[in-house]
Amino acid sequence: MEDDKNGTEKGAARPDSTKGISGKTPSKFLRFSGMATQMLGTILVFTYGGYRLDQWQMNKKPVWTLVLSLTSIAASLYMLIRSISKLK
């Protein structure tokens, strides 16, 4: 049989691209720690953005910080629930 660009025979089974280097799928610990990191990053970015908006508008009460932090918590929980439902 002919070899293609990657050096594998045409028609031969290719390795699954979703598997890691060792050929195994990533552990659940890695998946959930990645989700936690994403949640934390989302919440921090939105909260910092609200803080900066409050400074820029010189608000006495941190309205934007409150609104954007609560919005980011809701968005990150939505993303978490969506990704957990895809795992099953």
Side-chain angles (χ1 to χ4, degrees):
M1 293 187 128
E2 293 181 20
D3 289 343
D4 65 358
K5 294 178 184 177
N6 296 332
T8 58
E9 293 181 9
K10 287 187 177 180
R14 293 186 182 197
D16 189 9
S17 63
T18 60
K19 294 184 179 180
I21 295 173
S22 64
K24 298 179 182 178
T25 57
S27 68
K28 288 187 179 183
F29 174 76
L30 288 176
R31 288 182 185 173
F32 288 120
S33 63
M35 287 181 209
T37 305
Q38 183 180 9
M39 287 178 67
L40 180 64
T42 303
I43 293 169
L44 287 176
V45 167
F46 274 65
T47 303
Y48 181 72
Y51 173 75
R52 295 295 292 183
L53 276 172
D54 282 330
Q55 278 187 338
W56 180 63
Q57 291 183 347
M58 293 182 262
N59 293 337
K60 291 183 181 180
K61 293 184 181 180
V63 177
W64 284 111
T65 304
L66 183 64
V67 169
L68 289 181
S69 64
L70 291 176
T71 302
S72 66
I73 291 170
S76 62
L77 285 175
Y78 172 75
M79 290 187 308
L80 176 70
I81 291 169
R82 226 176 109 196
S83 61
I84 286 177
S85 65
K86 287 182 180 180
L87 289 177
K88 294 181 181 181

